[in-house]
Structure formats: C-alpha cells, structure tokens
Amino acid sequence: MSVDPGRYATPVRRSGDEAEQQPVIVRCARRALAPDPLRVLLLHGLCSNAGVWDPFLPLADPRCELWTADLPWRGTGVHGWTGLPVETWADQAVAAVPGGPDVVIAHSFGTSAALTWLDRWGTGGADTRGPGAVVLVSPLYRATAEEFDWNSLAYYVNNFDRILIEGMHMGPSRRLPEERRHTIAMKIRDLVSPYGWFQFFGTYLRMPQMRTERMTMPFLLVSGGEDMVAAPSDAEGLAKSLPDASVHVLPCHGHFPMVTAAEEFADLTNTFLRTRLPGPPSGSPHLTMEHNR
C-alpha cells in the first residue's frame, strides 16, 4: 500500500470534520507560564490520542509551552497511515511546532516513532533538528535481533485486546462495565486491522537498528514496574545504549504512568528539564534550538 506524502498538510489549528481527518493535528495545549519558554511536543501511543497527556498539562513546569499531536494512529487510525514509515508522521508533528520543539515527550508506540525520527532526521550533521532533551514513557526497545523470537510475536498478537482494554481504563471508557469495554476493544482491534498491528510490531522489530550512539541529547526514561506492554527491561536496555540517559521505574504502575502516577511523573520530568535544560541567564537571548544543540 503506497501513500502520496504530498496529500498530507499538517494543520496547527483547524476545526470541524476536515481537520479531524488530517493524519497529524498539532495544537498548542498550554502557553508557557514563565519567561524563557521551552517548546515541548507530546506524542501519544497506538490507539490513543493527545488526551492521554491531560493529567500532565497542568503539572508541567511553568516554563514549558506544551504542544500536543494527534497522530494518524490515534483511535482506530486514519485511513492509509500504515503506508508510510512512522518517522514520516513524527517529522510532520515536529515541523508543525513553530521553531521546532526543544523537548520531545513520547509514550509507548510514540517512543518508537520518536526514536526512528531521531535516527533518520533528528541527529547528525550541521542540519540536525534534534531536540535538546527527550522523555520517553514506557518505551519499546530491544538492543539485538536475538531478543525477538516467535514467543515475542505471539505475545503481542494474543494480548493486543488486553492492551487495548488497559488503555480504555485511562479514558472516559473506564466508567463502562468491563464487558462493554471488552466489546469496544474488540471492535477497535478489528478496525486497527493486522496492518496497524504489523506497523506497531514491525517498528518495534527495527529498534536494534537504531543508531542510539548518535543521540547525544539527555534522555529521561520512565517505566511502570507492572507494565504488560513495555517491560522495564526495555527502558533499562535503551538506557544502556544511549550516551546520556537515566531510568526511573515506578513500582505498582502499568503502561500509563503519566496518568496513574501523574504527579510523580511530572516531578521527574520537571526536575529533569530544570537540571538538563536550565534557563538562560538573565538578559541572555531567548532559549532556542541553537542553544540546545
């Protein structure tokens, strides 16, 4: 299946059904509440949407100007999104943030999109557009091809419905009876189709190919100790492959620690950004991508 990338404009602000059908929709969710803002782009995971970041928005450091992306794998997916590599869509989200993001924060499948984007476009050479710092929540990563086997594939096929149901516990559907959530999850699974699942798992399979040694910006990796989708060992393995990374595993939390442990996640992220991307001294120029590189 091929898709013409020229069809896809990336609106920053649009309304109505036309905008909702755009593969990538980027909005400013919160202006900075303090001087010297950091532009922060938030990327969600498969079958999710930008609303997954709502608990974090009011807790983010006042210096953060928060931009959320609704990506083409939101909900049941925008038709045709699997025809292009995920880094293409991540690149469109990055390009829609005026001036480019100083920080990228991504969750689950969004972390795979962020890493593949960084590997292809975000690092290396004088023309790099890489952010100054990256936060990955529940990252999916394995360092070697040997770490994938047939059991890995079977696990993610057979548990895809459970993964979808866990995601529904994080949104408005959590108020529905369990049986109703299960029925909806099955419908979402069928609409996502094997093509959407294969794009998810195929991107996961590409992780050993990532040239993580080139990603020299600081990383914060946050994982849930009871995550059934992205095990803490994925975050720990990724940290070992990166030049500058720290890992925080939150016990008793699953795949959505930015929701179930919102305050703790915000504290970790805010401390990380204040430490690794401190504001410029009084009277110095506004913080830009050039200052971060």
Side-chain angles (χ1 to χ4, degrees):
M1 177 167 46
S2 62
V3 179
D4 175 11
R7 292 175 52 202
Y8 297 116
T10 306
V12 175
R13 294 185 186 85
R14 297 188 67 172
S15 59
D17 294 340
E18 182 182 358
E20 291 307 312
Q21 292 306 310
Q22 293 295 317
V24 179
I25 304 170
V26 176
R27 301 182 177 93
C28 184
R30 195 198 75 178
R31 295 293 180 186
L33 306 176
D36 306 314
L38 287 172
R39 295 181 297 274
V40 178
L41 175 62
L42 299 151
L43 307 176
H44 64 77
L46 185 66
C47 302
S48 186
N49 58 52
V52 77
W53 298 108
D54 285 353
F56 172 65
L57 300 182
L59 302 174
D61 188 277
R63 195 161 58 109
C64 291
E65 179 183 280
L66 302 172
W67 293 80
T68 58
D70 272 307
L71 297 158
W73 48 82
R74 62 188 179 268
T76 57
V78 175
H79 179 70
W81 77 269
T82 59
L84 289 175
V86 295
E87 59 265 30
T88 303
W89 305 119
D91 189 58
Q92 288 199 16
V94 168
V97 178
D102 301 301
V103 180
V104 171
I105 302 179
H107 174 244
S108 189
F109 184 56
T111 70
S112 303
L115 287 170
T116 53
W117 175 79
L118 286 168
D119 184 56
R120 184 168 177 181
W121 286 305
T123 60
D127 296 328
T128 179
R129 291 178 290 156
V134 177
V135 178
L136 301 182
V137 189
S138 306
L140 292 147
Y141 179 82
R142 299 190 190 185
T144 66
E146 290 72 25
E147 294 177 56
F148 290 101
D149 56 21
W150 290 110
N151 288 332
S152 302
L153 186 148
Y155 177 83
Y156 283 98
V157 170
N158 296 333
N159 288 287
F160 192 37
D161 54 341
R162 292 178 58 198
I163 293 168
L164 294 174
I165 290 170
E166 181 180 356
M168 294 177 68
H169 281 283
M170 300 301 114
S173 299
R174 67 183 181 276
R175 301 183 182 91
L176 297 174
E178 189 67 32
E179 182 177 350
R180 177 62 175 159
R181 281 199 297 268
H182 183 269
T183 300
I184 294 173
M186 293 303 94
K187 290 181 178 179
I188 293 174
R189 182 196 64 182
D190 292 343
L191 289 169
V192 170
S193 83
Y195 285 94
W197 180 90
F198 185 78
Q199 190 76 324
F200 152 73
F201 197 73
T203 306
Y204 194 8
L205 287 171
R206 290 166 58 193
M207 288 299 104
Q209 303 169 23
M210 296 299 102
R211 294 166 292 181
T212 49
E213 73 280 358
R214 299 167 63 244
M215 303 175 192
T216 56
M217 67 283 291
F219 278 74
L220 170 65
L221 311 178
V222 180
S223 178
E226 298 182 358
D227 193 338
M228 63 169 285
V229 183
S233 58
D234 282 34
E236 292 161 356
L238 178 56
K240 292 177 182 177
S241 77
L242 290 163
D244 184 358
S246 59
V247 183
H248 290 270
V249 178
L250 303 180
C252 305
H253 290 279
H255 192 55
F256 296 83
M258 70 289 201
V259 176
T260 60
E263 291 189 3
E264 190 171 359
F265 169 74
D267 287 343
L268 288 169
T269 300
N270 293 338
T271 299
F272 170 70
L273 295 180
R274 290 168 190 156
T275 303
R276 304 311 303 270
L277 292 179
S282 178
S284 67
H286 175 77
L287 184 63
T288 67
M289 291 285 285
E290 291 298 320
H291 286 83
N292 284 338
R293 286 204 289 271

